[in-house]
Amino acid sequence: MGNRFQVKDRFADGAQYIDGQLRSGTSGRSHTIVNPATGEDVLTYELASTADVDAAVAAAKRAFPAWAAATPGERADALHRLAAVLAEQAEDFAYAESLQCGKPIKLSTEFDVPGTIDNTAFFAGAARHLQGQAAAEYSGDHTSYVRREAIGVVGSIAPWNYPLQMAAWKILPAIAAGNTIVLKPAELTPLTSLMFAQAAKDAGLPDGVVNIVTGVGRDAGEHLVGHPDVVMTSFTGSTAVGKRVAEIATATVKRLHLELGGKAPFLVFDDADLEAAAHGAVAASLINTGQDCTAATRAYVQRPLHDAFVARVAELMETVRLGDPFDPATDLGPLVSHAQRDRVAGFVERARGYATVVTGGGIPGGELAEGAYYRPTLVSGAAQDSEVVQSEIFGPVLVVLPFDTDDEGIELANDTPYGLAASAWSRDVYRAGRATREIKAGCVWVNDHIPIISEMPHGGYKASGFGKDMSAYSFEEYTQVKHVMYDNTAVAAKDWHRTIFGDRI
């Protein structure tokens, strides 16, 4: 990884980034970031207080008028410079992401960091493409047109599973549209969010446009969402916490975007390419050690293929290499924490009472014993209404269930509260097309599962939330739509006035 920076030196001034400067939190309470692969301490920092949130919001509010007044071209230029800075610092970002999350370095290097750079370049372009209905004389006597304006200070909350990408998904559309932002990353994994804000300053963005407060949700997070000077909040996390965010935001009539939990179905019809489906299931269920809201978690396989699918997936899972995240050969790293590892293990141990653990289902020993590792796990024979099928596990666990008819398969795929992502596997275009229409999810892949692109939206149905990340759809959510209407007649006493007073002229 070349010359790795020293985290304690890099963040010696603290883990809050307010008005262009790193500073220490003032809550009087500290938090220690732990390397989940080794259990070793990475950085101890002071958590943000409500006063720190107030300072960050005030900085964003001061910066807003000038940033909103910048031309779309000026904001685009700044984001192009930011993409270049991120590319220059790509190695440091990949190292920090793997250090705090336990991600295999090949995932950080080939997915998280380049995806973030691409997102930055995309929103640099989006800043210059404000969409609106064509100006025209819709009434006959007036010219109407639409303005898209920045809305103000955005206060957003990002999760711990993809800290860098989630920070970018929150920050980029907001600032591309002319808003300023205060982001609260998860206290477990703030390093790359802070680095992203520093990179924005390196790229020439004005102080106060991007601010980071690192604190716990019940203090810093709730205060940020409820702050009277915050006009919009975007939250990614669990459905349970999302409900609380919605309660607070509703009380102050804020614009709200929620990207919540998922329990993605992986629907395999009996004409599918078995080898492709098995490889796809292993990759899609194990990405980021299964800590992905769109990860394949429920494989429904039509009965003629079911047993062969289970056997092949188990065989492939047993080839997955657990190890040091910084070893390029490592396929699967640890979960983000020992607490998360134990939570996942609890789901699997309870499932043993009503289902079969085909492979995995254990904590490795030896050199990995100190880390938060868990073996890739395949479960079969569970009932549709069981915990392991219905609840979001957020770990390297795939459950396989059979189905008979196409109707049944689609019905089972839709049979959870969630609707974030899904996939359908078939050689029949009509069969696959029906699945894309009838599965209730924000993204449905056909013969693949997981790829995302900056140009297309990411967001869910049902308990998976509403609103979109990435794409022009996301950009539009961070703008205020204003209708402007000019009279073209220069007539003082207009004909429509007689509906209010007087007689028709």
Side-chain angles (χ1 to χ4, degrees):
M1 289 297 295
N3 296 316
R4 299 173 177 176
F5 66 87
Q6 297 299 311
V7 172
K8 292 178 182 177
D9 293 339
R10 177 73 174 261
F11 299 104
D13 293 330
Q16 318 301 324
Y17 190 84
I18 300 172
D19 207 12
Q21 297 293 328
L22 283 173
R23 63 172 75 174
S24 184
T26 61
S27 68
R29 291 177 290 120
S30 63
H31 179 82
T32 299
I33 300 168
V34 175
N35 178 348
T38 63
E40 296 174 348
D41 292 353
V42 173
L43 176 71
T44 298
Y45 66 90
E46 297 299 314
L47 291 160
S49 66
T50 56
D52 298 321
V53 173
D54 289 342
V57 172
K61 186 177 180 180
R62 287 192 301 271
F64 173 71
W67 183 245
T71 67
E74 289 168 338
R75 292 197 295 269
D77 287 346
L79 291 179
H80 280 302
R81 293 195 301 270
L82 175 56
V85 171
L86 295 173
E88 291 169 1
Q89 300 177 8
E91 186 175 295
D92 283 352
F93 274 98
Y95 168 68
E97 195 77 336
S98 289
L99 183 66
Q100 66 182 353
C101 299
K103 293 175 188 283
I105 194 64
K106 65 179 180 180
L107 182 66
S108 295
T109 301
E110 299 178 31
F111 181 72
D112 296 74
V113 174
T116 300
I117 295 168
D118 186 71
N119 261 255
T120 307
F122 173 83
F123 281 108
R128 303 183 77 154
H129 291 85
L130 298 173
Q131 299 297 316
Q133 195 156 347
E137 289 69 48
Y138 295 100
S139 76
D141 291 336
H142 308 81
T143 296
S144 289
Y145 66 87
V146 169
R147 288 179 55 85
R148 283 196 174 272
E149 299 177 349
I151 58 177
V153 177
V154 178
S156 294
I157 300 175
W160 48 257
N161 58 332
Y162 288 102
L164 175 59
Q165 290 205 75
M166 295 296 100
W169 287 11
K170 303 302 183 194
I171 292 169
L172 291 170
I175 65 174
N179 304 293
T180 55
I181 189 167
V182 179
L183 175 76
K184 191 198 88 65
E187 62 271 22
L188 291 174
T189 55
L191 299 181
T192 47
S193 298
L194 293 163
M195 292 167 63
F196 190 93
Q198 291 176 307
K201 180 167 184 171
D202 293 343
L205 273 76
D207 292 347
V209 171
V210 178
N211 306 274
I212 308 293
V213 290
T214 307
V216 296
R218 65 181 176 274
D219 298 329
E222 292 198 2
H223 189 66
L224 177 61
V225 173
H227 199 289
D229 290 331
V230 169
V231 297
M232 175 181 174
T233 190
S234 176
F235 170 80
T236 296
S238 72
T239 298
V241 177
K243 290 177 180 178
R244 176 60 180 156
V245 170
E247 290 175 0
I248 299 169
T250 300
T252 49
V253 197
K254 296 189 195 308
R255 186 175 297 195
L256 180 62
H257 165 222
L258 298 174
E259 197 265 90
L260 307 177
K263 190 71 177 174
F266 188 99
L267 186 61
V268 183
F269 293 102
D270 58 13
D271 67 332
D273 181 325
L274 176 62
E275 195 68 9
H279 277 81
V282 173
S285 62
L286 300 185
I287 185 172
N288 203 33
T289 319
Q291 299 167 125
D292 186 311
C293 295
T294 64
T297 59
R298 300 177 289 138
Y300 296 102
V301 185
Q302 207 150 23
R303 204 170 295 274
L305 285 186
H306 177 270
D307 292 351
F309 178 87
V310 170
R312 185 60 175 139
V313 169
E315 183 179 40
L316 290 171
M317 278 190 171
E318 288 164 5
T319 69
V320 172
R321 299 164 296 187
L322 282 70
D324 176 5
F326 292 104
D327 183 344
T330 293
D331 297 320
L332 197 74
L335 288 116
V336 74
S337 67
H338 288 76
Q340 180 65 13
R341 190 270 317 272
D342 294 344
R343 178 180 179 276
V344 171
F347 275 101
V348 176
E349 291 309 305
R350 291 190 295 274
R352 293 183 190 276
Y354 55 79
T356 299
V357 177
V358 179
T359 189
I363 297 170
E367 294 180 355
L368 303 182
E370 297 302 316
Y373 289 89
Y374 196 76
R375 296 193 183 281
T377 301
L378 182 66
V379 177
S380 68
Q384 175 66 14
D385 62 356
S386 63
E387 177 191 53
V388 77
V389 174
Q390 293 292 325
S391 298
E392 188 174 30
I393 299 172
F394 229 56
V397 180
L398 177 65
V399 185
V400 184
L401 298 89
F403 70 92
D404 291 304
T405 67
D406 289 14
D407 288 349
E408 181 190 12
I410 291 173
E411 181 180 356
L412 290 170
N414 285 328
D415 185 29
T416 70
Y418 301 106
L420 185 58
S423 63
W425 297 74
S426 173
R427 290 184 173 96
D428 186 325
V429 65
Y430 298 104
R431 225 173 185 184
R434 179 192 175 191
T436 65
R437 293 190 301 273
E438 296 186 14
I439 293 175
K440 305 304 181 187
C443 175
V444 181
W445 293 281
V446 176
N447 295 327
D448 208 344
H449 191 120
I450 283 298
I452 54 175
I453 48 176
S454 297
E455 292 83 358
M456 288 291 152
H458 175 86
Y461 285 33
K462 304 189 293 186
S464 292
F466 48 82
K468 301 299 178 184
D469 287 312
M470 300 195 296
S471 82
Y473 295 99
S474 168
F475 181 61
E476 290 174 0
E477 293 195 29
Y478 291 87
T479 63
Q480 190 71 265
V481 175
K482 178 186 288 184
H483 170 213
V484 178
M485 194 175 198
Y486 279 91
D487 171 61
N488 293 329
T489 67
V491 173
K494 294 177 171 58
D495 187 52
W496 73 266
H497 292 173
R498 61 96 189 170
T499 62
I500 312 301
F501 73 101
D503 299 322
R504 185 181 294 276
I505 300 171

